[in-house]
Amino acid sequence: MQNPKIHKKILFNQNIAPSQILKALAGFPHAVYLQNSGQPLIAFLADEYFVLISQQLTHYSKTGLQAYAAEEAEHLPELGSGLPAGNCSGRFQGGFVGFISYDYGASQQISLQQKNQPSLFLGRFSTYLEWTEAGWMLHCPAEDFAEIEALLRSSMQNLNHAESFRLIAPCTARWPKAQYAAAFQQVQEYIKAGDCYQINLTQEFCAPAHGALLDTAEQFWRLTDAPYSGYLRIDDFELLSCSPELFIDFEAERKIVTKPIKGTMPRFSDPVSDEQSKRALQQSEKDQAENVMIVDLLRNDLSVYAETGSVKTPKLFAIESFNQVHHMVSEVTATLKDDVNPFEMLLSALPGGSITGAPKIRAMQIIDELEGAPRGAYCGSMGYFNHDGTGSWNILIRSIQKYQDEVSLWAGGGITIASDCDAEYQECFDKVSAMLNLLNTWRQPED
């Protein structure tokens, strides 16, 4: 589908934080922000959108500036066929933006529990704000431009800066350590029995909460400084991403890139200790073994859709350092076959191998059995597609989800036969403790 005639105009200063604009959009039906590895965008007032909740897909078609008509839908939208080679900008230029949950991705391959909240949002957007060096630029259909510009300026001028978000109780682990240890031991038994080689075992941290999770966003983004962070709101569901992990970049000339993370060590304020931690990860045979298992899994996944001989591994066991942790990151590239639709490829490739295990289908079955609660959006993906098939999608780790009055975040790691239970349990906290501590500063004071 071709975009309508689009007008562009700088509306806001470049120093205005994304969270301020998102707060100004609080009265709008939905909003999505993607940090997009240094090229931020905020999409709103979709031309149409799809929401999946409780296995019911609903299509919303635009009937007015902020009005939509809803009807049941049988299929997700089609990205299109006969796609061109793709632009080289690496930027969103109008198309689809949204998220796909772990629950939805896994449900395409196995039967599993699903969280009672939206499990997919996908909107087709021609209206969005793009961050540029000159400021936030509005892209909008020409016929709606004046009205949307006036609405945005009014919303920013009348912005309510009061914060409403509060935890009713501390956000704590749903599992005591003994329960984690029991699940860990069961994974070891499955590995010994030959069911699997690796399982990404994760645990949930949850709390009751009131108000808008968006209130916390700017502090979380500053804390993590993650390249694939973002935010999505639809009705009473909010998703706050602080993700460091790319799932798939869909680049020009049908090139695809995936960068699985496997292997984690904590950061330290002392430079000597920090360098020792980084070097320990770099030299860890266990982490290299985990990483290469997932690289092999992803190479196999991509080969189904890739031109013969195009699957390459240009980076193996590279160390990338983030605010709280060092990660071991590899890179796999390929070229999509001419008859492969990028959107269909994304849906069939989810969930990502780095957050399931190997072999993938049996790993997802074991995860559903042992974790005891559905993951929801966690370990799903958030991103965009241009109409030409280029785009970028993350892995939703280090992410917080809020539905109605419950907030949750998750953390975990890959378990192999060489794993140590205490070390794996500690790795969960290495990944999430800074976020958990920050979240708990919003604890409602007792009377």
Side-chain angles (χ1 to χ4, degrees):
M1 186 178 296
Q2 297 298 313
N3 282 338
K5 184 179 179 182
I6 300 295
H7 277 188
K8 304 176 186 179
K9 182 179 180 180
I10 298 293
L11 284 197
F12 305 123
N13 185 290
Q14 67 175 161
N15 294 323
I16 292 179
S19 60
Q20 283 185 269
I21 299 173
L22 290 164
K23 285 183 179 181
L25 298 174
F28 287 47
H30 50 262
V32 190
Y33 163 69
L34 299 176
Q35 202 275 345
N36 196 26
S37 196
Q39 297 178 319
L41 70 99
I42 297 173
F44 58 101
L45 296 181
D47 304 320
E48 61 175 337
Y49 65 94
F50 294 78
V51 176
L52 182 67
I53 184 169
S54 299
Q55 301 183 353
Q56 176 59 57
L57 183 65
T58 304
H59 175 234
Y60 294 81
S61 52
K62 203 169 189 178
T63 59
L65 192 65
Q66 296 194 62
Y68 293 84
E71 61 179 355
E72 290 187 10
E74 294 183 1
H75 306 289
L76 289 171
E78 294 184 1
L79 189 61
S81 57
L83 294 166
N87 69 74
C88 299
S89 68
R91 294 167 40 243
F92 180 68
Q93 299 182 338
F96 290 98
V97 185
F99 92 100
I100 303 160
S101 69
Y102 174 92
D103 291 354
Y104 176 81
S107 72
Q108 305 309 293
Q109 301 172 68
I110 68 166
S111 175
L112 79 164
Q113 308 170 72
Q114 298 198 37
K115 209 170 182 69
N116 178 32
Q117 63 184 37
S119 57
L120 177 147
F121 170 90
L122 198 65
R124 183 173 62 83
F125 292 90
S126 55
T127 299
Y128 61 97
L129 287 160
E130 176 190 25
W131 186 90
T132 71
E133 291 185 358
W136 287 95
M137 179 182 287
L138 174 64
H139 298 242
C140 177
E143 64 269 23
D144 296 330
F145 197 92
E147 193 172 1
I148 290 178
E149 178 185 4
L151 186 60
L152 280 175
R153 291 192 185 278
S154 173
S155 297
M156 286 294 286
Q157 289 170 359
N158 298 308
L159 184 61
N160 180 0
H161 292 278
E163 294 186 348
S164 64
F165 183 77
R166 290 289 181 270
L167 292 183
I168 309 306
C171 188
T172 57
R174 185 171 52 82
W175 280 355
K177 186 176 180 181
Q179 194 166 350
Y180 177 90
F184 176 93
Q185 187 55 45
Q186 186 58 56
V187 170
Q188 293 292 309
E189 295 304 318
Y190 278 127
I191 294 173
K192 291 173 186 175
D195 283 59
C196 56
Y197 307 104
Q198 180 186 118
I199 296 294
N200 195 75
L201 182 66
T202 69
Q203 59 175 321
E204 183 182 28
F205 300 79
C206 51
H210 293 326
L213 181 62
L214 177 60
D215 291 342
T216 72
E218 208 61 51
Q219 290 192 47
F220 274 110
W221 291 330
R222 285 198 299 268
L223 175 73
T224 57
D225 192 28
Y228 298 101
S229 57
Y231 172 82
L232 180 146
R233 173 187 52 77
I234 174 70
D235 298 327
D236 50 4
F237 173 71
E238 292 178 275
L239 176 58
L240 176 60
S241 168
C242 299
S243 177
E245 184 168 2
L246 171 70
F247 181 38
I248 302 177
D249 264 343
F250 294 83
E251 300 183 354
E253 307 300 330
R254 306 184 70 84
K255 180 182 178 182
I256 53 176
V257 179
T258 183
K259 295 182 179 180
I261 291 176
K262 264 295 167 238
T264 303
M265 289 291 283
R267 298 294 308 268
F268 295 94
S269 56
D270 173 58
V272 174
S273 299
D274 192 56
E275 182 61 28
Q276 288 174 342
S277 183
K278 180 179 179 179
R279 194 176 299 116
L281 177 60
Q282 200 164 30
Q283 297 173 352
S284 169
E285 293 183 3
K286 170 193 168 292
D287 288 301
Q288 289 180 4
E290 282 188 41
N291 195 287
V292 80
M293 280 184 199
I294 299 307
V295 166
D296 286 346
L297 186 156
L298 288 170
R299 285 178 59 89
N300 184 66
D301 280 356
L302 295 188
S303 68
V304 176
Y305 314 99
E307 291 182 356
T308 302
S310 71
V311 180
K312 309 291 184 186
T313 309
K315 291 183 183 178
L316 193 63
F317 311 148
I319 305 301
E320 295 186 8
S321 299
F322 299 88
N323 280 6
Q324 274 77 50
V325 292
H326 301 290
H327 278 313
M328 183 178 286
V329 184
S330 294
E331 181 178 310
V332 182
T333 64
T335 302
L336 286 181
K337 297 174 183 175
D338 287 340
D339 61 348
V340 171
N341 184 294
F343 183 42
E344 292 174 0
M345 182 260 167
L346 174 73
L347 291 176
S348 61
L350 285 168
S354 66
I355 43 73
T356 54
K360 190 171 176 181
I361 289 178
R362 184 65 181 121
M364 290 188 292
Q365 293 170 337
I366 292 171
I367 286 168
D368 183 57
E369 173 195 338
L370 296 183
E371 288 188 348
R375 290 179 172 184
Y378 171 69
C379 289
S381 186
M382 185 176 186
Y384 75 90
F385 271 120
N386 290 310
H387 289 294
D388 65 4
T390 56
S392 183
W393 292 80
N394 74 2
I395 292 280
L396 281 167
I397 57 173
R398 317 292 144 75
S399 299
I400 307 171
Q401 47 197 332
K402 181 178 182 290
Y403 181 56
Q404 297 175 348
D405 290 330
E406 181 179 87
V407 65
S408 70
L409 65 158
W410 294 67
I415 309 300
T416 68
I417 195 65
S419 296
D420 174 79
C421 182
D422 290 343
E424 295 293 342
Y425 185 73
Q426 182 58 45
E427 183 176 314
C428 295
F429 289 89
D430 290 342
K431 290 174 175 175
V432 82
S433 60
M435 291 183 66
L436 196 61
N437 291 340
L438 179 55
L439 183 61
N440 279 321
T441 65
W442 274 275
R443 169 82 186 279
Q444 179 173 297
E446 297 182 3
D447 296 333

PDB file of all heavy atoms in Angstrom, residues 272-301:
ATOM      1  N   VAL A 272      39.598  -1.607  37.158  1.00  0.00           N
ATOM      2  CA  VAL A 272      40.347  -2.867  37.163  1.00  0.00           C
ATOM      3  C   VAL A 272      39.394  -4.051  37.288  1.00  0.00           C
ATOM      4  O   VAL A 272      39.478  -5.031  36.531  1.00  0.00           O
ATOM      5  CB  VAL A 272      41.397  -2.879  38.293  1.00  0.00           C
ATOM      6  CG1 VAL A 272      42.067  -4.247  38.375  1.00  0.00           C
ATOM      7  CG2 VAL A 272      42.435  -1.783  38.067  1.00  0.00           C
ATOM      8  N   SER A 273      38.464  -3.956  38.256  1.00  0.00           N
ATOM      9  CA  SER A 273      37.483  -5.038  38.438  1.00  0.00           C
ATOM     10  C   SER A 273      36.598  -5.190  37.210  1.00  0.00           C
ATOM     11  O   SER A 273      36.254  -6.308  36.804  1.00  0.00           O
ATOM     12  CB  SER A 273      36.619  -4.762  39.672  1.00  0.00           C
ATOM     13  OG  SER A 273      37.409  -4.709  40.841  1.00  0.00           O
ATOM     14  N   ASP A 274      36.243  -4.063  36.599  1.00  0.00           N
ATOM     15  CA  ASP A 274      35.384  -4.102  35.417  1.00  0.00           C
ATOM     16  C   ASP A 274      36.092  -4.783  34.248  1.00  0.00           C
ATOM     17  O   ASP A 274      35.504  -5.605  33.543  1.00  0.00           O
ATOM     18  CB  ASP A 274      34.973  -2.672  35.034  1.00  0.00           C
ATOM     19  CG  ASP A 274      33.863  -2.651  34.010  1.00  0.00           C
ATOM     20  OD1 ASP A 274      32.809  -3.256  34.270  1.00  0.00           O
ATOM     21  OD2 ASP A 274      34.058  -2.051  32.927  1.00  0.00           O
ATOM     22  N   GLU A 275      37.368  -4.485  34.058  1.00  0.00           N
ATOM     23  CA  GLU A 275      38.131  -5.104  32.983  1.00  0.00           C
ATOM     24  C   GLU A 275      38.319  -6.599  33.249  1.00  0.00           C
ATOM     25  O   GLU A 275      38.266  -7.418  32.317  1.00  0.00           O
ATOM     26  CB  GLU A 275      39.497  -4.413  32.848  1.00  0.00           C
ATOM     27  CG  GLU A 275      40.365  -4.954  31.714  1.00  0.00           C
ATOM     28  CD  GLU A 275      39.743  -4.787  30.349  1.00  0.00           C
ATOM     29  OE1 GLU A 275      38.955  -3.834  30.161  1.00  0.00           O
ATOM     30  OE2 GLU A 275      40.022  -5.628  29.469  1.00  0.00           O
ATOM     31  N   GLN A 276      38.518  -6.973  34.512  1.00  0.00           N
ATOM     32  CA  GLN A 276      38.644  -8.389  34.857  1.00  0.00           C
ATOM     33  C   GLN A 276      37.346  -9.138  34.548  1.00  0.00           C
ATOM     34  O   GLN A 276      37.368 -10.269  34.041  1.00  0.00           O
ATOM     35  CB  GLN A 276      38.994  -8.539  36.339  1.00  0.00           C
ATOM     36  CG  GLN A 276      40.426  -8.120  36.677  1.00  0.00           C
ATOM     37  CD  GLN A 276      40.699  -8.146  38.166  1.00  0.00           C
ATOM     38  OE1 GLN A 276      39.772  -8.142  38.991  1.00  0.00           O
ATOM     39  NE2 GLN A 276      41.981  -8.162  38.534  1.00  0.00           N
ATOM     40  N   SER A 277      36.202  -8.498  34.852  1.00  0.00           N
ATOM     41  CA  SER A 277      34.902  -9.110  34.573  1.00  0.00           C
ATOM     42  C   SER A 277      34.710  -9.298  33.071  1.00  0.00           C
ATOM     43  O   SER A 277      34.254 -10.356  32.612  1.00  0.00           O
ATOM     44  CB  SER A 277      33.784  -8.239  35.148  1.00  0.00           C
ATOM     45  OG  SER A 277      32.525  -8.829  34.961  1.00  0.00           O
ATOM     46  N   LYS A 278      35.078  -8.282  32.310  1.00  0.00           N
ATOM     47  CA  LYS A 278      34.973  -8.351  30.844  1.00  0.00           C
ATOM     48  C   LYS A 278      35.863  -9.457  30.291  1.00  0.00           C
ATOM     49  O   LYS A 278      35.438 -10.252  29.433  1.00  0.00           O
ATOM     50  CB  LYS A 278      35.351  -7.003  30.248  1.00  0.00           C
ATOM     51  CG  LYS A 278      35.279  -6.939  28.742  1.00  0.00           C
ATOM     52  CD  LYS A 278      35.646  -5.546  28.253  1.00  0.00           C
ATOM     53  CE  LYS A 278      35.616  -5.456  26.729  1.00  0.00           C
ATOM     54  NZ  LYS A 278      35.963  -4.079  26.265  1.00  0.00           N
ATOM     55  N   ARG A 279      37.101  -9.544  30.793  1.00  0.00           N
ATOM     56  CA  ARG A 279      38.038 -10.546  30.296  1.00  0.00           C
ATOM     57  C   ARG A 279      37.570 -11.962  30.668  1.00  0.00           C
ATOM     58  O   ARG A 279      37.725 -12.903  29.883  1.00  0.00           O
ATOM     59  CB  ARG A 279      39.435 -10.281  30.870  1.00  0.00           C
ATOM     60  CG  ARG A 279      40.539 -11.071  30.149  1.00  0.00           C
ATOM     61  CD  ARG A 279      41.924 -10.718  30.661  1.00  0.00           C
ATOM     62  NE  ARG A 279      42.236  -9.321  30.445  1.00  0.00           N
ATOM     63  CZ  ARG A 279      42.454  -8.439  31.426  1.00  0.00           C
ATOM     64  NH1 ARG A 279      42.403  -8.820  32.689  1.00  0.00           N
ATOM     65  NH2 ARG A 279      42.747  -7.189  31.130  1.00  0.00           N
ATOM     66  N   ALA A 280      36.994 -12.092  31.874  1.00  0.00           N
ATOM     67  CA  ALA A 280      36.486 -13.407  32.293  1.00  0.00           C
ATOM     68  C   ALA A 280      35.387 -13.886  31.350  1.00  0.00           C
ATOM     69  O   ALA A 280      35.332 -15.079  31.001  1.00  0.00           O
ATOM     70  CB  ALA A 280      35.968 -13.329  33.724  1.00  0.00           C
ATOM     71  N   LEU A 281      34.523 -12.965  30.931  1.00  0.00           N
ATOM     72  CA  LEU A 281      33.472 -13.328  29.980  1.00  0.00           C
ATOM     73  C   LEU A 281      34.082 -13.700  28.630  1.00  0.00           C
ATOM     74  O   LEU A 281      33.700 -14.703  28.017  1.00  0.00           O
ATOM     75  CB  LEU A 281      32.491 -12.165  29.824  1.00  0.00           C
ATOM     76  CG  LEU A 281      31.372 -12.360  28.795  1.00  0.00           C
ATOM     77  CD1 LEU A 281      30.512 -13.567  29.153  1.00  0.00           C
ATOM     78  CD2 LEU A 281      30.505 -11.102  28.705  1.00  0.00           C
ATOM     79  N   GLN A 282      35.026 -12.912  28.185  1.00  0.00           N
ATOM     80  CA  GLN A 282      35.663 -13.134  26.885  1.00  0.00           C
ATOM     81  C   GLN A 282      36.315 -14.513  26.816  1.00  0.00           C
ATOM     82  O   GLN A 282      36.313 -15.159  25.765  1.00  0.00           O
ATOM     83  CB  GLN A 282      36.711 -12.045  26.657  1.00  0.00           C
ATOM     84  CG  GLN A 282      37.112 -11.827  25.214  1.00  0.00           C
ATOM     85  CD  GLN A 282      37.837 -10.507  25.035  1.00  0.00           C
ATOM     86  OE1 GLN A 282      38.515 -10.041  25.949  1.00  0.00           O
ATOM     87  NE2 GLN A 282      37.682  -9.887  23.889  1.00  0.00           N
ATOM     88  N   GLN A 283      36.852 -14.979  27.929  1.00  0.00           N
ATOM     89  CA  GLN A 283      37.599 -16.237  27.957  1.00  0.00           C
ATOM     90  C   GLN A 283      36.767 -17.425  28.461  1.00  0.00           C
ATOM     91  O   GLN A 283      37.290 -18.534  28.569  1.00  0.00           O
ATOM     92  CB  GLN A 283      38.834 -16.063  28.839  1.00  0.00           C
ATOM     93  CG  GLN A 283      39.811 -15.016  28.316  1.00  0.00           C
ATOM     94  CD  GLN A 283      40.951 -14.710  29.275  1.00  0.00           C
ATOM     95  OE1 GLN A 283      40.958 -15.174  30.415  1.00  0.00           O
ATOM     96  NE2 GLN A 283      41.922 -13.908  28.816  1.00  0.00           N
ATOM     97  N   SER A 284      35.506 -17.200  28.756  1.00  0.00           N
ATOM     98  CA  SER A 284      34.661 -18.238  29.346  1.00  0.00           C
ATOM     99  C   SER A 284      34.277 -19.301  28.308  1.00  0.00           C
ATOM    100  O   SER A 284      33.522 -19.026  27.366  1.00  0.00           O
ATOM    101  CB  SER A 284      33.387 -17.617  29.932  1.00  0.00           C
ATOM    102  OG  SER A 284      32.457 -18.615  30.270  1.00  0.00           O
ATOM    103  N   GLU A 285      34.769 -20.508  28.477  1.00  0.00           N
ATOM    104  CA  GLU A 285      34.425 -21.590  27.556  1.00  0.00           C
ATOM    105  C   GLU A 285      32.952 -21.943  27.660  1.00  0.00           C
ATOM    106  O   GLU A 285      32.310 -22.284  26.663  1.00  0.00           O
ATOM    107  CB  GLU A 285      35.295 -22.814  27.850  1.00  0.00           C
ATOM    108  CG  GLU A 285      36.770 -22.605  27.533  1.00  0.00           C
ATOM    109  CD  GLU A 285      37.595 -23.852  27.761  1.00  0.00           C
ATOM    110  OE1 GLU A 285      37.005 -24.899  28.112  1.00  0.00           O
ATOM    111  OE2 GLU A 285      38.834 -23.798  27.591  1.00  0.00           O
ATOM    112  N   LYS A 286      32.389 -21.871  28.868  1.00  0.00           N
ATOM    113  CA  LYS A 286      30.970 -22.162  29.056  1.00  0.00           C
ATOM    114  C   LYS A 286      30.115 -21.189  28.252  1.00  0.00           C
ATOM    115  O   LYS A 286      29.189 -21.591  27.544  1.00  0.00           O
ATOM    116  CB  LYS A 286      30.606 -22.082  30.538  1.00  0.00           C
ATOM    117  CG  LYS A 286      29.098 -22.121  30.810  1.00  0.00           C
ATOM    118  CD  LYS A 286      28.787 -21.715  32.230  1.00  0.00           C
ATOM    119  CE  LYS A 286      27.311 -21.468  32.434  1.00  0.00           C
ATOM    120  NZ  LYS A 286      26.809 -20.273  31.703  1.00  0.00           N
ATOM    121  N   ASP A 287      30.409 -19.877  28.372  1.00  0.00           N
ATOM    122  CA  ASP A 287      29.606 -18.884  27.660  1.00  0.00           C
ATOM    123  C   ASP A 287      29.801 -18.987  26.154  1.00  0.00           C
ATOM    124  O   ASP A 287      28.854 -18.783  25.380  1.00  0.00           O
ATOM    125  CB  ASP A 287      29.954 -17.481  28.154  1.00  0.00           C
ATOM    126  CG  ASP A 287      29.427 -17.226  29.563  1.00  0.00           C
ATOM    127  OD1 ASP A 287      28.198 -17.330  29.762  1.00  0.00           O
ATOM    128  OD2 ASP A 287      30.231 -16.935  30.463  1.00  0.00           O
ATOM    129  N   GLN A 288      31.012 -19.307  25.722  1.00  0.00           N
ATOM    130  CA  GLN A 288      31.244 -19.505  24.299  1.00  0.00           C
ATOM    131  C   GLN A 288      30.435 -20.695  23.787  1.00  0.00           C
ATOM    132  O   GLN A 288      29.870 -20.654  22.690  1.00  0.00           O
ATOM    133  CB  GLN A 288      32.733 -19.712  24.029  1.00  0.00           C
ATOM    134  CG  GLN A 288      33.571 -18.457  24.215  1.00  0.00           C
ATOM    135  CD  GLN A 288      35.043 -18.701  23.927  1.00  0.00           C
ATOM    136  OE1 GLN A 288      35.430 -19.780  23.512  1.00  0.00           O
ATOM    137  NE2 GLN A 288      35.867 -17.691  24.160  1.00  0.00           N
ATOM    138  N   ALA A 289      30.360 -21.751  24.589  1.00  0.00           N
ATOM    139  CA  ALA A 289      29.588 -22.933  24.190  1.00  0.00           C
ATOM    140  C   ALA A 289      28.105 -22.593  24.071  1.00  0.00           C
ATOM    141  O   ALA A 289      27.432 -23.008  23.118  1.00  0.00           O
ATOM    142  CB  ALA A 289      29.795 -24.060  25.202  1.00  0.00           C
ATOM    143  N   GLU A 290      27.569 -21.822  25.056  1.00  0.00           N
ATOM    144  CA  GLU A 290      26.171 -21.382  24.989  1.00  0.00           C
ATOM    145  C   GLU A 290      25.939 -20.541  23.751  1.00  0.00           C
ATOM    146  O   GLU A 290      24.947 -20.699  23.028  1.00  0.00           O
ATOM    147  CB  GLU A 290      25.812 -20.547  26.223  1.00  0.00           C
ATOM    148  CG  GLU A 290      25.550 -21.326  27.490  1.00  0.00           C
ATOM    149  CD  GLU A 290      25.009 -20.413  28.588  1.00  0.00           C
ATOM    150  OE1 GLU A 290      24.182 -19.546  28.283  1.00  0.00           O
ATOM    151  OE2 GLU A 290      25.424 -20.565  29.741  1.00  0.00           O
ATOM    152  N   ASN A 291      26.854 -19.597  23.520  1.00  0.00           N
ATOM    153  CA  ASN A 291      26.694 -18.662  22.419  1.00  0.00           C
ATOM    154  C   ASN A 291      26.687 -19.381  21.074  1.00  0.00           C
ATOM    155  O   ASN A 291      25.832 -19.121  20.219  1.00  0.00           O
ATOM    156  CB  ASN A 291      27.817 -17.620  22.482  1.00  0.00           C
ATOM    157  CG  ASN A 291      27.548 -16.407  21.624  1.00  0.00           C
ATOM    158  OD1 ASN A 291      27.626 -16.489  20.406  1.00  0.00           O
ATOM    159  ND2 ASN A 291      27.254 -15.284  22.247  1.00  0.00           N
ATOM    160  N   VAL A 292      27.602 -20.319  20.914  1.00  0.00           N
ATOM    161  CA  VAL A 292      27.702 -20.982  19.608  1.00  0.00           C
ATOM    162  C   VAL A 292      26.511 -21.902  19.365  1.00  0.00           C
ATOM    163  O   VAL A 292      26.095 -22.102  18.211  1.00  0.00           O
ATOM    164  CB  VAL A 292      29.043 -21.733  19.476  1.00  0.00           C
ATOM    165  CG1 VAL A 292      29.030 -23.085  20.195  1.00  0.00           C
ATOM    166  CG2 VAL A 292      29.426 -21.910  18.004  1.00  0.00           C
ATOM    167  N   MET A 293      25.909 -22.447  20.445  1.00  0.00           N
ATOM    168  CA  MET A 293      24.682 -23.236  20.281  1.00  0.00           C
ATOM    169  C   MET A 293      23.588 -22.386  19.647  1.00  0.00           C
ATOM    170  O   MET A 293      22.873 -22.829  18.735  1.00  0.00           O
ATOM    171  CB  MET A 293      24.193 -23.757  21.634  1.00  0.00           C
ATOM    172  CG  MET A 293      24.901 -24.974  22.163  1.00  0.00           C
ATOM    173  SD  MET A 293      24.095 -25.509  23.697  1.00  0.00           S
ATOM    174  CE  MET A 293      25.373 -26.524  24.418  1.00  0.00           C
ATOM    175  N   ILE A 294      23.432 -21.143  20.154  1.00  0.00           N
ATOM    176  CA  ILE A 294      22.384 -20.269  19.642  1.00  0.00           C
ATOM    177  C   ILE A 294      22.733 -19.763  18.247  1.00  0.00           C
ATOM    178  O   ILE A 294      21.860 -19.629  17.382  1.00  0.00           O
ATOM    179  CB  ILE A 294      22.150 -19.100  20.621  1.00  0.00           C
ATOM    180  CG1 ILE A 294      21.702 -19.657  21.987  1.00  0.00           C
ATOM    181  CG2 ILE A 294      21.110 -18.144  20.081  1.00  0.00           C
ATOM    182  CD1 ILE A 294      20.506 -20.594  21.933  1.00  0.00           C
ATOM    183  N   VAL A 295      24.002 -19.491  17.998  1.00  0.00           N
ATOM    184  CA  VAL A 295      24.421 -19.102  16.651  1.00  0.00           C
ATOM    185  C   VAL A 295      24.064 -20.207  15.654  1.00  0.00           C
ATOM    186  O   VAL A 295      23.510 -19.936  14.577  1.00  0.00           O
ATOM    187  CB  VAL A 295      25.931 -18.787  16.607  1.00  0.00           C
ATOM    188  CG1 VAL A 295      26.437 -18.716  15.176  1.00  0.00           C
ATOM    189  CG2 VAL A 295      26.214 -17.474  17.329  1.00  0.00           C
ATOM    190  N   ASP A 296      24.349 -21.458  16.015  1.00  0.00           N
ATOM    191  CA  ASP A 296      24.022 -22.577  15.130  1.00  0.00           C
ATOM    192  C   ASP A 296      22.517 -22.681  14.916  1.00  0.00           C
ATOM    193  O   ASP A 296      22.050 -22.941  13.798  1.00  0.00           O
ATOM    194  CB  ASP A 296      24.565 -23.885  15.704  1.00  0.00           C
ATOM    195  CG  ASP A 296      26.073 -24.004  15.567  1.00  0.00           C
ATOM    196  OD1 ASP A 296      26.661 -23.218  14.803  1.00  0.00           O
ATOM    197  OD2 ASP A 296      26.660 -24.877  16.239  1.00  0.00           O
ATOM    198  N   LEU A 297      21.735 -22.473  16.004  1.00  0.00           N
ATOM    199  CA  LEU A 297      20.279 -22.529  15.893  1.00  0.00           C
ATOM    200  C   LEU A 297      19.785 -21.447  14.932  1.00  0.00           C
ATOM    201  O   LEU A 297      18.946 -21.705  14.053  1.00  0.00           O
ATOM    202  CB  LEU A 297      19.650 -22.356  17.281  1.00  0.00           C
ATOM    203  CG  LEU A 297      18.140 -22.528  17.429  1.00  0.00           C
ATOM    204  CD1 LEU A 297      17.804 -22.914  18.864  1.00  0.00           C
ATOM    205  CD2 LEU A 297      17.370 -21.267  17.072  1.00  0.00           C
ATOM    206  N   LEU A 298      20.306 -20.222  15.083  1.00  0.00           N
ATOM    207  CA  LEU A 298      19.859 -19.119  14.237  1.00  0.00           C
ATOM    208  C   LEU A 298      20.318 -19.295  12.798  1.00  0.00           C
ATOM    209  O   LEU A 298      19.589 -18.956  11.855  1.00  0.00           O
ATOM    210  CB  LEU A 298      20.352 -17.792  14.802  1.00  0.00           C
ATOM    211  CG  LEU A 298      19.639 -17.345  16.087  1.00  0.00           C
ATOM    212  CD1 LEU A 298      20.345 -16.152  16.717  1.00  0.00           C
ATOM    213  CD2 LEU A 298      18.185 -17.005  15.806  1.00  0.00           C
ATOM    214  N   ARG A 299      21.527 -19.807  12.604  1.00  0.00           N
ATOM    215  CA  ARG A 299      21.986 -20.090  11.240  1.00  0.00           C
ATOM    216  C   ARG A 299      21.039 -21.090  10.575  1.00  0.00           C
ATOM    217  O   ARG A 299      20.679 -20.939   9.394  1.00  0.00           O
ATOM    218  CB  ARG A 299      23.411 -20.662  11.262  1.00  0.00           C
ATOM    219  CG  ARG A 299      24.491 -19.629  11.543  1.00  0.00           C
ATOM    220  CD  ARG A 299      25.878 -20.298  11.596  1.00  0.00           C
ATOM    221  NE  ARG A 299      26.186 -20.980  10.349  1.00  0.00           N
ATOM    222  CZ  ARG A 299      26.788 -20.420   9.309  1.00  0.00           C
ATOM    223  NH1 ARG A 299      27.157 -19.153   9.362  1.00  0.00           N
ATOM    224  NH2 ARG A 299      27.030 -21.111   8.210  1.00  0.00           N
ATOM    225  N   ASN A 300      20.607 -22.073  11.339  1.00  0.00           N
ATOM    226  CA  ASN A 300      19.672 -23.063  10.809  1.00  0.00           C
ATOM    227  C   ASN A 300      18.315 -22.428  10.512  1.00  0.00           C
ATOM    228  O   ASN A 300      17.705 -22.685   9.464  1.00  0.00           O
ATOM    229  CB  ASN A 300      19.518 -24.212  11.805  1.00  0.00           C
ATOM    230  CG  ASN A 300      18.637 -25.316  11.270  1.00  0.00           C
ATOM    231  OD1 ASN A 300      18.989 -25.990  10.311  1.00  0.00           O
ATOM    232  ND2 ASN A 300      17.472 -25.495  11.875  1.00  0.00           N
ATOM    233  N   ASP A 301      17.819 -21.582  11.443  1.00  0.00           N
ATOM    234  CA  ASP A 301      16.539 -20.894  11.236  1.00  0.00           C
ATOM    235  C   ASP A 301      16.583 -20.029   9.974  1.00  0.00           C
ATOM    236  O   ASP A 301      15.654 -20.038   9.153  1.00  0.00           O
ATOM    237  CB  ASP A 301      16.199 -20.014  12.443  1.00  0.00           C
ATOM    238  CG  ASP A 301      15.612 -20.803  13.607  1.00  0.00           C
ATOM    239  OD1 ASP A 301      15.398 -22.028  13.449  1.00  0.00           O
ATOM    240  OD2 ASP A 301      15.370 -20.198  14.663  1.00  0.00           O
TER     241      ASP A 301
END
